[in-house]
Amino acid sequence: MCSGRVDLAFVLKAFLKGMDGVFIGGCRLNECNYVTHGNYHALNMVLLFKRIMEHIGLNPERLKIEFMSAADANIFVETVNGFVKTVKALGPLGEGEGITPRELKSRLAEMSKLVPYLKLVNQEKLAAHLKTPEEYDGFFTKEEIDGLFRDMVSYYIDPEKCQACMTCLRRCPVEAIVGGKNKIHVIDQDKCIKCGTCLEVCPSRFDSVRKISGEPVPPPIPEEKRMLVRKGKEK
Ligand code: SF4
Ligand code: SF4
């Protein structure tokens, strides 16, 4: 019902399913029936996603948001007709941009994995209420988005410090931590959504989780070396 419910993940899913364009229709700004004003959130999400589209080589014109009331049939018709015309002129998604279907799928899938991280780091801006359309353009800049991906954080469990308490494994929202009783825990970087929960919950006396930025994540400790030998129990 509310455009604020349109998540970044939904837009990505539409593109992943082969849609050539995505249009979001929201209530007029400042006319929201609820205190949430979700249409502002939808607008900010679109502004962010347009920059992300540029970053991955897609034409941002393939995504559009417009605000109108239920009585604005003429605006709706004009907007949708105009959008369909734009998307048709751009051609099929990826093909119009010179990206192979395989590469397109891989770029979109990579972004889908990062949705929770992108929402987390842009939390404040996504909640902003922009006053005028003039503010839209510069709200998210190309430099900002390029920097976001350049300085992307990763999380790593130091095998020298992990005490296999299993707290992080239980709290990870996507089961990205591999471990078990008396086994040094390891983060599966392909599954990790960079939420930072493991860093928060690892007991300070162990301090085993590291936040890494701007450098490669060390390779995981080999499976056969993950058994934890506790002090005093060594033969
Ligand atoms: S940051 Fe930690 S808790 Fe969050 S998804 Fe990655 S491994 Fe799991
Ligand atoms: S919370 Fe810390 S000490 Fe406990 S298993 Fe995870 S990384 Fe190891």
Side-chain angles (χ1 to χ4, degrees):
M1 179 175 173
C2 175
S3 56
R5 178 69 184 91
V6 184
D7 196 274
L8 267 176
F10 301 172
V11 180
L12 270 158
K13 197 170 178 182
F15 285 130
L16 264 167
K17 281 189 169 282
M19 298 298 123
D20 296 323
V22 174
F23 170 72
I24 300 162
C27 300
R28 284 188 194 153
L29 295 171
N30 295 320
E31 289 186 12
C32 180
N33 289 321
Y34 306 101
V35 288
T36 48
H37 289 275
N39 42 6
Y40 276 105
H41 192 279
L43 168 64
N44 300 339
M45 185 274 293
V46 165
L47 297 176
L48 169 63
F49 197 71
K50 276 175 172 285
R51 291 292 185 205
I52 292 173
M53 289 176 80
E54 280 174 342
H55 184 81
I56 61 172
L58 293 177
N59 193 314
E61 297 295 309
R62 293 184 184 276
L63 176 62
K64 185 173 180 65
I65 187 165
E66 196 60 71
F67 305 100
M68 59 197 77
S69 81
D72 287 332
N74 53 335
I75 297 181
F76 178 74
V77 171
E78 272 170 33
T79 308
V80 173
N81 284 343
F83 184 58
V84 169
K85 212 169 146 188
T86 304
V87 174
K88 276 191 174 164
L90 291 174
L93 182 71
E95 203 179 302
E97 286 92 346
I99 306 171
T100 64
R102 194 191 164 103
E103 181 57 28
L104 174 68
K105 205 171 166 192
S106 140
R107 292 184 197 179
L108 291 172
E110 185 61 25
M111 285 305 128
S112 300
K113 223 178 72 184
L114 294 174
V115 165
Y117 174 72
L118 293 168
K119 281 163 62 177
L120 193 74
V121 292
N122 291 293
Q123 210 170 19
E124 243 174 70
K125 286 184 95 170
L126 286 172
H129 287 194
L130 299 181
K131 299 273 183 300
T132 62
E134 288 69 46
E135 287 179 75
Y136 298 179
D137 264 357
F139 191 53
F140 288 103
T141 63
K142 181 180 180 306
E143 293 67 34
E144 188 181 352
I145 300 303
D146 288 347
L148 189 73
F149 288 102
R150 193 186 50 240
D151 306 330
M152 179 95 59
V153 301
S154 296
Y155 293 87
Y156 171 72
I157 296 175
D158 186 337
E160 298 295 324
K161 293 183 172 180
C162 178
Q163 291 303 306
C165 71
M166 296 176 76
T167 309
C168 59
L169 182 141
R170 291 196 190 99
R171 297 283 298 276
C172 175
V174 291
E175 299 181 354
I177 299 179
V178 184
K181 204 174 167 206
N182 291 326
K183 279 185 103 179
I184 292 168
H185 288 40
V186 166
I187 294 176
D188 180 339
Q189 299 295 333
D190 284 337
K191 285 192 187 169
C192 175
I193 56 167
K194 305 175 191 299
C195 69
T197 304
C198 49
L199 179 70
E200 269 171 45
V201 301
C202 181
S204 54
R205 63 186 184 283
F206 303 144
D207 189 28
S208 323
V209 183
R210 263 169 52 201
K211 189 177 183 177
I212 296 178
S213 173
E215 55 174 295
V217 181
I221 179 168
E223 179 82 46
E224 63 278 10
K225 292 189 178 163
R226 292 188 194 165
M227 219 51 212
L228 190 70
V229 182
R230 299 195 187 271
K231 279 191 184 124
K233 292 201 175 174
E234 295 164 55
K235 284 192 182 163

